[in-house]
Amino acid sequence: MGPGKRDALVDVDGVLVGHEQRLDPHWATGVTAVLVPDGASAAVDVRGGGPGTRETDVLRPDHLVQQVHGVVLTGGSAYGLAAADGVVRWLGERGHGVPVGTDPAHVVPVVPGAVIFDLPMNDWGNRPDAGFGYRACQHASREEAREGNVGAGTGAVVGCVKGGIGTASAVLGDGTTIGALVAVNAAGSAIDPGTGLPWVPTPGLRRPDQAEIDAAKPLFGTRPGRHGPVDRPLNTTIGVVATDLRLSGAECRRLAVAAQDALARAVRPAHLLVDGDTMFALATGTGAALPAPGEPGWAARLDEVSAAAADVVARAIVRGVLAAEPVDGVTCYTRLYPSARE
């Protein structure tokens, strides 16, 4: 198993990614649109105690609609759900959605989404709206592999350091591609305070100098906001894992579960009451199909794909932390532990 061409979610055939953000003295928030215009099987797993979501019920495998056309990851807490309206409009204008009439333009795009809590990183009242979502779609492409302070990761904070967007991919031996994109914004920490290293082993990093480790320890347990400490932690890690396999909604659900397992590896503690941890899974169906449920090899193959999905999500989370840059007093990993990457 090795990374795809871009080592990003867009390595999965049929997936486009676009970001829109605003970062200035009054704003630090944005939207990431993951588009599957031709449709994809989908599922979701919600583990946090404080989620902010849209259209997650439609992803149940016993419901009518069996495909989605995009997923929205956005800042702005519950206010930010308005960004999905812009994504729906962009898709609908191009005829992507569930047909509901004889005219090809009569479609209803299915676009679930989730939010992070980044309000203390902005002046009050500044949060993504439908315009952010629409512009994120305008930027969407198969080349999008930016990380850090972009899209939904613009105002993200994880533990005591800046979080952000992270993405990664893997290609299995049979050519199956799995990719992930995560907005890392958790109450817990992605860093082991005792070593200064991410909880997930990461090639290219070495243990920081002990002086850096000792200096950073008092920061752990704090929750920095752009305008000073906040009573409520900035929280919620949300993301998408996708594959080009042909999977049912129930099989996608196993990938979403694996994505949450990865979150618990990479962020500790995870799935708290103040988190809204939400992971979506997509299967574009441009590749091979699994054996039918109950046939020889089905369970083993699905477990193999799920395990790979967990590895990719964990790596994306670490990359989101390493790529983040400081924002007005909220430091970042590379500033806290500069010797780790020397």
Side-chain angles (χ1 to χ4, degrees), residues 43-236:
V44 67
D45 188 292
V46 181
R47 299 277 180 94
T53 58
R54 166 192 167 115
E55 288 202 275
T56 51
D57 279 351
V58 77
L59 301 180
R60 286 175 49 181
D62 60 341
H63 282 192
L64 173 64
V65 175
Q66 295 297 301
Q67 290 199 321
V68 304
H69 305 93
V71 174
V72 174
L73 309 178
T74 178
S77 190
Y79 296 105
L81 289 172
D85 293 343
V87 177
V88 169
R89 179 163 64 90
W90 188 91
L91 288 164
E93 288 174 354
R94 288 153 181 81
H96 302 299
V98 178
V100 293
T102 56
D103 189 322
H106 296 173
V107 296
V108 177
V110 180
V111 183
V115 304
I116 67 169
F117 180 76
D118 61 0
L119 298 180
M121 296 291 284
N122 300 268
D123 289 355
W124 184 254
N126 292 346
R127 71 272 291 203
D129 58 15
F132 272 74
Y134 193 91
R135 292 190 296 274
C137 294
Q138 290 179 310
H139 302 320
S141 76
R142 289 292 312 280
E143 304 298 322
E144 184 54 76
R146 288 183 297 163
E147 296 178 302
N149 298 0
V150 299
T154 303
V157 176
V158 55
C160 61
V161 301
K162 187 69 178 64
I165 291 290
T167 188
S169 70
V171 180
L172 305 186
D174 65 353
T176 296
T177 302
I178 301 168
L181 183 146
V182 184
V184 188
N185 182 75
S189 176
I191 306 165
D192 179 351
T195 66
L197 293 172
W199 293 110
V200 175
T202 305
L205 291 183
R206 69 178 185 87
R207 182 186 171 103
D209 293 342
Q210 190 61 45
E212 294 172 359
I213 296 173
D214 292 341
K217 282 181 180 177
L219 298 177
F220 284 83
T222 66
R223 297 290 184 261
R226 189 173 186 178
H227 307 297
V230 294
D231 292 332
R232 285 178 59 91
L234 304 176
N235 50 50
T236 300

Side-chain angles (χ1 to χ4, degrees), residues 16 21 61 100 143 151 175 179 189 193 198 218-219 223 230 240 247 250 301 315 339:
L16 309 174
Q21 61 280 322
V100 293
E143 304 298 322
S189 176
L219 298 177
R223 297 290 184 261
V230 294
V240 177
L247 300 179
R301 180 72 172 124
R315 192 156 57 86
S339 68

Side-chain angles (χ1 to χ4, degrees), residues 10 65 132 239 257 286:
V10 290
V65 175
F132 272 74
V257 168
T286 63

